[in-house]
Structure formats: structure tokens, C-alpha cells
């Protein structure tokens, strides 16, 4: 392919819609071809691109970190004829919400945790493609950051993953105007740090939803051992830090999500979050020094 390939990604988070171009400049025919093939991927394909270089969109194995997993290609030509204008951004969002959420639910085996790590999104035709008659919506699922402005990579086919909205221990989340933001390096100011993940299905019957109050009661016992292992039994109170945990809503539990984060942060008496800097993870123990080669062997006792 010569010339430029341009597509648009519609990222859904709540009622917000974000899009940005996927373009190729200069002598990058192979990259352009790779991007074009990725844009038209079939159901089950996984795509990836750097956040700051979406023009490098490519198809990858779902076993590798990826940004987007295609669930289906939906034709909307019945609602938008050959001479119709493309939908406005708000209309695009409505279309994606109605069409792609249902496709994602079907793709995941009939259950999509509305509070889980996956949300529905779509690759949509740009104005040029629309003018050429392209009316396909490339529906997919992705993981959106708390701000809704970025996508987090996931590993493994989505249908084979637990949908719980948990993160790897050591993940820190920014504090932006008193609210939890996107993942940041832990040396930066942050709201809290994930110190571990616990499985509530080992404590409660997976078929019967435990109230959030009951979850909190059990998590008081479940999170401290996880936190102690992560921090090396650090005295959090001495540093004016507290151990928190997430809870699961009924919709999540019925969708099969049973994992929750245990996390460390700081909250003032008025309930406001205080910024924390630095990780609470215990430093690894130094390895034992190798025996000195120059030391003479000890004499056996007499």
C-alpha cells in the first residue's frame, strides 16, 4: 500500500468517547500494510499499538500483551445509506454502546461484568472510508484506565480471563485533584498502591452473592497477610498509611468476578486522599556473599 492509512479508535468509558487517528507517514509501506490488515481483523484477533504511536497498530498473538481484542465486525449500512453523513461523535458512542456491548457479551460467553476490567469499544471508519461506502464497525473489548483516556494492555484471550478489575501488586495510581487517576510510577505522587489480590470465592459460596458489608468484614482478615508479605511486615500506621480493599457488586459476582485488590494509601480525617510517594514494597534481602577465595581453609579442631 502506498500513501496513508487512517482509521479511528472509539474508546468507551462511561459516557465518554475518545478518538484519535491512526496514520502512516513517509516510506513505511510495510507498516501501512500491517496497520490496514490489523484494522480489518476478524473476530478473535488481538491488536496492539503504542499509546503515543497509534500508527504502529499491528496484529499480535493474544498470548502477548495487547490493547484491543476484536469481537465482531458489525454492518450499520442499513441505518446509513450510500449518501448519508457519518454519525456525530455522540451518535457513534450510542451506536457502539448498543451494538458492541451486546457483541462483547456474546463473545465472552454471555456475561460482561459492567464493573470489571473490560469495556466495549470499536474501530470505526474515518471520513474517507465512510465516503467510499465502508459502514463496518469493528467491535472489540479493551481495558480503560480510570481517566478513560488511555488503554491498558492485557494478556490472554479475554474469554479465558477472570473479568475482575484487579491489578498486579506494585501498581500505583495517580492522585488528580483528590481523585484516583491512571497508573504512575510509585516514586511519583499517588493515591494508593496495590499490594496484593485476594480471591473471595475461597471464603464465600461462588453461587451466592455476599453483601459488600460481609466482604469488608472478611477482607479485614484476608488483606493483612497479603500486605505483610508485600511490605515485609512494615508498620503502615507509623507512616500514616492505611490498608484498604475493594469490594464487588452483585453484578460482578454473578458475572464470575471474585478477585479484589488490597491496597495501601493515606486518607485524612476529612476523607480526602493524601498523596503518597515511594513504594511500600519491602526491599529484597541482600544475597549472601560468596565465600572468599583468598581465605585459608580453617584447621580442623584437635
Amino acid at each position: 500500500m502506498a500513501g496513508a492509512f487512517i482509521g479511528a479508535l472509539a474508546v468507551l468509558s462511561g459516557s465518554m468517547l475518545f478518538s484519535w487517528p491512526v496514520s502512516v507517514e513517509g516510506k513505511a509501506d510495510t507498516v501501512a500494510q500491517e496497520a490496514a490488515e490489523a484494522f480489518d481483523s476478524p473476530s478473535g484477533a488481538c491488536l496492539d499499538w503504542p499509546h503515543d504511536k497509534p500508527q504502529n497498530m499491528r496484529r499480535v498473538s493474544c498470548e502477548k500483551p495487547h490493547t484491543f481484542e476484536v469481537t465482531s465486525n458489525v454492518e450499520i449500512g442499513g441505518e446509513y445509506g450510500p449518501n448519508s453523513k457519518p454519525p456525530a461523535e455522540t451518535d457513534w458512542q450510542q451506536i457502539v454502546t448498543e451494538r458492541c456491548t451486546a457483541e462483547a457479551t456474546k463473545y465472552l460467553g454471555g456475561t460482561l461484568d459492567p464493573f470489571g476490567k473490560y469495556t466495549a469499544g470499536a474501530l470505526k471508519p474515518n471520513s474517507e472510508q465512510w465516503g467510499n461506502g465502508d459502514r463496518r464497525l469493528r467491535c472489540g473489548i479493551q481495558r480503560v484506565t480510570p481517566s478513560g483516556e488511555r488503554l491498558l494492555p492485557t494478556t490472554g484471550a479475554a474469554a479465558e480471563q477472570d473479568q475482575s478489575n484487579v491489578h498486579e501488586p506494585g501498581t500505583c495510581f495517580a492522585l488528580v485533584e483528590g481523585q484516583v487517576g491512571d497508573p504512575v510510577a510509585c516514586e511519583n505522587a499517588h493515591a494508593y498502591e496495590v499490594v496484593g489480590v485476594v480471591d473471595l470465592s475461597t471464603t464465600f459460596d461462588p453461587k451466592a452473592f455476599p453483601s459488600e458489608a460481609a466482604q469488608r468484614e472478611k477482607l479485614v482478615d484476608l488483606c493483612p497477610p497479603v500486605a505483610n508479605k508485600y511490605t515485609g511486615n512494615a508498620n503502615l500506621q507509623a507512616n500514616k498509611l492505611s490498608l484498604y480493599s475493594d469490594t464487588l457488586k452483585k453484578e460482578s459476582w454473578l458475572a464470575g468476578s471474585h478477585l479484589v485488590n488490597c491496597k495501601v494509601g493515606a486518607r485524612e480525617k476529612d476523607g480526602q486522599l493524601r498523596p503518597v510517594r515511594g513504594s511500600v514494597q519491602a526491599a529484597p534481602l541482600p544475597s549472601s556473599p560468596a565465600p572468599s577465595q583468598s581465605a585459608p581453609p580453617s584447621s580442623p579442631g584437635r
Side-chain angles (χ1 to χ4, degrees):
M1 288 179 59
F5 165 76
I6 301 178
L9 177 67
V11 181
L12 291 183
S13 176
S15 61
M16 305 177 70
L17 177 70
F18 299 88
S19 63
W20 60 85
V22 177
S23 62
V24 176
E25 300 176 355
K27 298 180 179 179
D29 290 348
T30 56
V31 175
Q33 181 69 45
E34 189 173 42
E37 291 176 353
F39 186 73
D40 281 328
S41 293
S43 173
C46 290
L47 315 179
D48 191 46
W49 59 86
H51 172 71
D52 58 345
K53 291 185 178 180
Q55 68 270 22
N56 289 353
M57 178 192 290
R58 61 194 179 97
R59 193 183 302 178
V60 299
S61 166
C62 291
E63 298 308 309
K64 295 182 178 181
H66 55 272
T67 306
F68 191 83
E69 185 170 344
V70 181
T71 58
S72 62
N73 282 261
V74 174
E75 179 61 52
I76 62 172
E79 296 88 352
Y80 296 90
N83 298 320
S84 64
K85 294 182 179 180
E89 289 302 296
T90 53
D91 294 330
W92 267 123
Q93 173 163 343
Q94 186 66 25
I95 294 169
V96 175
T97 300
E98 293 176 353
R99 304 293 295 272
C100 292
T101 300
E103 293 294 325
T105 302
K106 185 190 306 180
Y107 182 82
L108 292 173
T111 56
L112 174 62
D113 182 352
F115 305 104
K117 64 182 178 182
Y118 295 120
T119 59
L123 293 167
K124 57 177 182 160
N126 65 11
S127 57
E128 182 179 353
Q129 293 166 320
W130 185 271
N132 291 331
D134 189 343
R135 299 292 187 270
R136 283 178 298 162
L137 194 63
R138 289 79 169 172
C139 293
I141 48 181
Q142 71 253 318
R143 188 171 195 183
V144 185
T145 61
S147 71
E149 297 179 350
R150 296 185 60 137
L151 298 180
L152 292 173
T154 60
T155 303
E160 301 172 0
Q161 306 301 309
D162 187 296
Q163 294 184 41
S164 304
N165 191 22
V166 293
H167 296 272
E168 288 293 325
T171 304
C172 290
F173 287 85
L175 182 61
V176 182
E177 297 181 352
Q179 302 298 317
V180 177
D182 293 349
V184 294
C186 291
E187 58 261 29
N188 296 333
H190 57 269
Y192 62 79
E193 177 179 359
V194 176
V195 297
V197 173
V198 296
D199 185 353
L200 289 175
S201 68
T202 62
T203 301
F204 298 102
D205 181 357
K207 298 180 181 179
F209 170 67
S211 68
E212 291 186 58
Q215 293 176 46
R216 284 191 287 270
E217 184 178 348
K218 288 296 183 182
L219 286 164
V220 169
D221 297 323
L222 295 175
C223 278
V226 172
N228 288 337
K229 182 178 180 181
Y230 182 84
T231 66
N233 296 307
N235 186 341
L236 298 177
Q237 288 186 338
N239 293 311
K240 298 182 179 181
L241 298 173
S242 299
L243 180 61
Y244 303 93
S245 63
D246 295 330
T247 56
L248 294 165
K249 296 186 180 297
K250 186 174 184 178
E251 296 90 336
S252 297
W253 191 269
L254 296 180
S257 298
H258 301 136
L259 309 179
V260 296
N261 295 305
C262 298
K263 51 196 182 183
V264 167
R267 191 179 296 275
E268 304 290 5
K269 292 182 179 179
D270 60 2
Q272 295 296 313
L273 290 169
R274 174 172 58 83
V276 178
R277 292 183 182 274
S279 174
V280 296
Q281 185 174 16
L285 295 175
S287 57
S288 301
S292 173
Q293 298 299 317
S294 59
S298 57
S299 301
R302 295 184 180 179

